[in-house]
Amino acid sequence: AELSSHVVSLQDILSNKQARGAFGEEQLEAIVRDQLPPAHFEFQATLSNRTRADCLLRLPPPLGPLCIDAKFPREAYDAMREAGGDEAARAAAQRAFANAIARHVSDIADKYIVPGETAEAAMMFVPSEAVYCEIYTSTKDIADKARRSRVFIVSPTTLWAVLNTMRAILKDARMREQADAIQREGGLLLEDVGRL
């Protein structure tokens, strides 16, 4: 009975669009905070075009600041699931799902890829592995369009892997900076030895 009440309360959260958005943002925040040092991300960052990114990753060149959007069109996915065995209804719902994802990808590309300010790509965080799987299995052309638009669709699992890679890049960049400092100090030491 207790488990049932928890499932019902989770369904209430996921059925409310704003609560679902907050749930997705909280999940995004938890994953980012677990993977990256605080200096390399900002939540609810405002860009020069007055749009607000759910998360802005501060990455070293040549990548630069990378925006992540945590909203996704869940209603279209639910309609597709509820269509059940009715082929015509399922096909219509699948087209609506594909169109909703395509619109969302276009919005992300327009809002969060700002030449000279952000990276040449952005990420669409889908906080549900099931929805992410559906995007790549039933709407492959939309996933390809997203890649061509330089919007990378990620789930909690794939975002974790991407951030883990980015953490390695940040560590490498720090090591390179320190190597430059060591070389510079070594050069100064050689000059001192030469003068001595």
Side-chain angles (χ1 to χ4, degrees):
E2 186 179 338
L3 179 59
S4 176
S5 70
H6 289 304
V7 170
V8 168
S9 67
L10 180 60
Q11 283 178 328
D12 289 343
I13 289 171
L14 295 179
S15 64
N16 179 315
K17 193 171 188 175
Q18 279 151 331
R20 185 174 65 240
F23 174 73
E25 287 174 22
E26 285 181 26
Q27 192 176 9
L28 171 65
E29 286 185 24
I31 294 169
V32 171
R33 286 185 196 283
D34 280 351
Q35 289 299 310
L36 296 179
H40 294 286
F41 60 84
E42 179 183 349
F43 297 109
Q44 301 303 317
T46 303
L47 304 176
S48 64
N49 62 4
R50 297 183 188 204
T51 57
R52 186 174 295 197
D54 292 326
C55 181
L56 181 71
L57 302 179
R58 300 194 183 285
L59 303 171
L63 290 172
L66 180 71
C67 295
I68 304 176
D69 184 79
K71 296 164 202 68
F72 70 101
R74 169 82 189 255
E75 290 83 4
Y77 174 75
D78 288 341
M80 197 169 59
R81 279 189 33 224
E82 290 166 5
D86 182 357
E87 286 301 316
R90 180 153 176 80
Q94 198 166 15
R95 278 192 304 278
F97 178 68
N99 290 337
I101 296 293
R103 270 193 312 276
H104 200 59
V105 164
S106 292
D107 288 347
I108 290 171
D110 292 343
K111 288 184 198 176
Y112 301 127
I113 300 176
V114 182
E117 182 178 356
T118 64
E120 294 179 358
M123 284 195 269
M124 175 179 158
F125 176 66
V126 179
S128 165
E129 297 291 343
V131 176
Y132 175 79
C133 182
E134 191 66 38
I135 291 169
Y136 278 94
T137 56
S138 69
T139 61
K140 290 179 186 169
D141 56 327
I142 300 301
D144 290 339
K145 180 188 177 207
R147 276 193 295 276
R148 286 191 304 275
S149 299
R150 297 183 318 268
V151 174
F152 302 105
I153 303 171
V154 294
S155 69
T157 304
T158 56
L159 178 63
W160 181 88
V162 167
L163 293 177
N164 204 16
T165 302
M166 288 179 180
R167 187 176 63 200
I169 290 169
L170 291 171
K171 185 176 179 182
D172 183 58
R174 280 196 313 271
M175 286 174 51
R176 245 183 290 119
E177 287 171 8
Q178 291 173 355
D180 288 345
I182 291 169
Q183 279 186 322
R184 192 172 41 256
E185 292 298 321
L188 292 172
L189 183 62
L190 280 175
E191 286 177 20
D192 286 348
V193 169
R195 280 195 293 268
L196 182 60

